[in-house]
Amino acid sequence: MGWFFSNLHIHKTAEFDMDAFRAALVDRLGASGYLPMDDPKAADLSLSIYDPGGRWVSVCSDGLDFFTEDSILAISEPLSEQFSADVLTVSCFDSDCLLLNRINKKLDISAWVKIGTYPGLKARSMPTQWKDLVSDAAQWKAVLRRKYSFAENALDELEPLLGLSPGQGRFCDELIADQFGKCVQSFYFKLPESASKPEPPKLSLFQPSLMPCEIGKDQCCFAINTGEKTRGLAIAFSGSYVENEDIRFRHVRLECSLDQRHRKTIPLSLEKIQTAAGQWIYYTELPHFPIREGVKDGLGWRKAMDEGMKRAFGVRFTPEGDPRKLLDITVHFIPLKNPEGQCGWCVWLYNGSKRAFVEEYNHRWGEIIGRHPTAGGVRLLNIDDYDMDD
């Protein structure tokens, strides 16, 4: 996985005032429901301001994101107008794309430059609308034309052209302690209690896999709680393959602490049982497994994603047996104290049928393979290789 970060930079002008700038940012977070607090350990998010003494003052916050045109303009335009200044945002998408936006209300400029590509990003580069802001317009255009293995590496050449201090374009929470600490002021906020999760535990899929199971290869699926915290989890595998054991599973384990470099794993032993309704399933229970409460409403998408990684859990398994039954594999996550709050994964869930999944999968990957023949070794599916329901 590559690097995601976003930040904002405001150009110092005669109208710029640090106290007024800080107040404008705090007011912005207040309008989103965040309440100031002093304890960073109990905070839901932070706001950090970096002033290395150069031409630009920088901001990063897990309560503010600059990953969409709407979120960028919503904060950049008012700041540019208030301080008669250029406002620059820098957004990195999975190290595949670096997107810069410039807003100057006084000059009526709203301009973009982009390095790399990322799905859904349609911003069109306008390098000529930056020529009065950069020190060398020809070099600026040359840097933007280059190819980079990691899009954020372009900042090494873009920063001096913009008058940013070395590393300033990468300003983000993860680097503050090691690279920026001495020149950073940080402020902390919490969400109101109404943003907590009083509902019964209810599970939903977390970043579900859209790749089909393969015999002898690892597969995984994850879930997250959207209600109040609880304890006790059951895992079940259902499908037509269970009764006659056409497919068995090995190396089955629960994974959690997904945000850590080394995830926590718990080996699972599945038992074949018959439900009250007569259905055969593979089943196991973890009666003491803690399920954290849902992510608070109101967090920015990046902060919500980070909090989700801390809370999510899942099952990893390797199927063995009849490959024709692979599309039948369904995994259920069941909170023991509220079984009605369970969720389930099967690869064709969002397509409505196995046939529709295979057709959509081949269409999607066919286009990708057409552009990138290796495509990570992905192969198209043959519908005749699987048992269909129709």
Side-chain angles (χ1 to χ4, degrees):
M1 183 175 179
W3 201 4
F4 285 88
F5 64 84
S6 67
N7 50 48
L8 176 145
H9 313 268
I10 187 166
H11 197 254
K12 293 179 181 177
T13 62
E15 292 85 353
F16 180 78
D17 177 82
M18 179 63 82
D19 290 336
F21 179 59
R22 182 167 49 246
L25 295 170
V26 170
D27 288 346
R28 173 75 185 179
L29 290 172
S32 299
Y34 299 116
L35 306 174
M37 67 177 311
D38 297 324
D39 183 3
K41 294 183 179 179
D44 292 314
L45 60 94
S46 63
L47 166 72
S48 296
I49 301 175
Y50 174 55
D51 184 3
R55 294 169 55 189
W56 299 86
V57 172
S58 303
V59 175
C60 70
S61 171
D62 42 16
L64 302 170
D65 73 69
F66 311 104
F67 289 114
T68 69
E69 183 174 359
D70 289 343
S71 64
I72 290 170
L73 298 182
I75 188 168
S76 295
E77 288 189 339
L79 289 174
S80 177
E81 189 161 13
Q82 181 177 352
F83 297 103
S84 297
D86 272 294
V87 176
L88 166 68
T89 58
V90 178
S91 309
C92 183
F93 299 80
D94 203 22
S95 292
D96 292 326
C97 182
L98 185 73
L99 183 66
L100 279 67
N101 175 258
R102 175 194 182 186
I103 296 292
N104 188 312
K105 294 294 287 182
K106 188 175 182 179
L107 300 178
D108 194 26
I109 292 176
S110 178
W112 305 84
V113 290
K114 181 171 67 171
I115 287 178
T117 60
Y118 196 74
L121 279 181
K122 302 184 184 299
R124 182 179 178 184
S125 289
M126 311 168 188
T128 58
Q129 293 196 39
W130 298 69
K131 61 183 181 180
D132 63 311
L133 190 63
V134 300
S135 57
D136 187 329
Q139 179 65 12
W140 172 258
K141 291 182 180 180
V143 172
L144 296 177
R145 286 195 295 266
R146 291 186 191 133
K147 304 294 184 182
Y148 296 86
S149 298
F150 302 96
E152 67 272 12
N153 289 346
L155 287 169
D156 293 336
E157 298 177 272
L158 296 177
E159 285 170 345
L161 294 171
L162 289 163
L164 291 166
S165 300
Q168 194 170 1
R170 292 177 171 84
F171 183 51
C172 62
D173 290 329
E174 293 87 343
L175 300 180
I176 286 177
D178 293 335
Q179 297 188 24
F180 303 104
K182 294 182 180 179
C183 300
V184 174
Q185 287 183 301
S186 292
F187 307 88
Y188 303 96
F189 301 83
K190 65 176 182 179
L191 283 165
E193 292 303 318
S194 60
S196 60
K197 299 289 183 178
E199 302 89 353
K202 183 178 180 181
L203 306 184
S204 64
L205 296 178
F206 181 77
Q207 299 180 359
S209 172
L210 300 178
M211 301 299 290
C213 296
E214 295 185 53
I215 295 297
K217 292 189 177 181
D218 262 7
Q219 178 64 286
C220 59
C221 51
F222 297 93
I224 192 169
N225 186 17
T226 60
E228 63 187 5
K229 66 180 180 180
T230 187
R231 187 175 293 273
L233 175 70
I235 302 291
F237 288 77
S238 69
S240 63
Y241 56 89
V242 178
E243 182 174 1
N244 296 318
E245 301 184 17
D246 299 307
I247 289 179
R248 299 282 294 179
F249 300 101
R250 60 182 175 87
H251 302 318
V252 185
R253 62 268 195 202
L254 188 77
E255 293 188 354
C256 54
S257 302
L258 307 186
D259 61 316
Q260 301 298 313
R261 183 175 181 182
H262 300 291
R263 300 177 176 185
K264 182 179 179 181
T265 61
I266 303 172
L268 300 178
S269 179
L270 300 175
E271 179 186 4
K272 180 182 171 184
I273 66 171
Q274 193 170 25
T275 68
Q279 181 184 20
W280 287 97
I281 62 173
Y282 297 127
Y283 183 81
T284 191
E285 286 187 1
L286 297 91
H288 304 295
F289 180 74
I291 300 175
R292 292 186 60 181
E293 72 281 358
V295 176
K296 288 184 176 181
D297 292 329
L299 296 178
W301 80 267
R302 177 65 196 277
K303 178 67 172 179
M305 182 175 70
D306 291 344
E307 291 298 314
M309 292 293 289
K310 295 176 184 178
R311 291 165 165 75
F313 51 87
V315 64
R316 189 176 294 274
F317 55 92
T318 303
E320 297 288 357
D322 185 357
R324 295 192 60 83
K325 302 285 187 180
L326 286 171
L327 297 185
D328 290 358
I329 294 174
T330 302
V331 184
H332 305 263
F333 298 92
I334 309 165
L336 292 179
K337 295 185 179 178
N338 184 37
E340 294 79 10
Q342 67 179 277
C343 70
W345 173 88
C346 69
V347 73
W348 52 267
L349 178 67
Y350 298 109
N351 299 95
S353 72
K354 299 175 190 176
R355 188 174 299 275
F357 164 74
V358 172
E359 291 172 352
E360 189 276 334
Y361 178 95
N362 285 342
H363 175 73
R364 171 165 42 93
W365 280 102
E367 291 184 343
I368 295 172
I369 292 171
R371 296 193 300 269
H372 308 283
T374 56
V378 174
R379 64 178 180 85
L380 300 185
L381 305 179
N382 184 345
I383 205 164
D384 294 328
D385 290 341
Y386 302 96
D387 288 347
M388 294 286 117
D389 294 328
D390 52 2

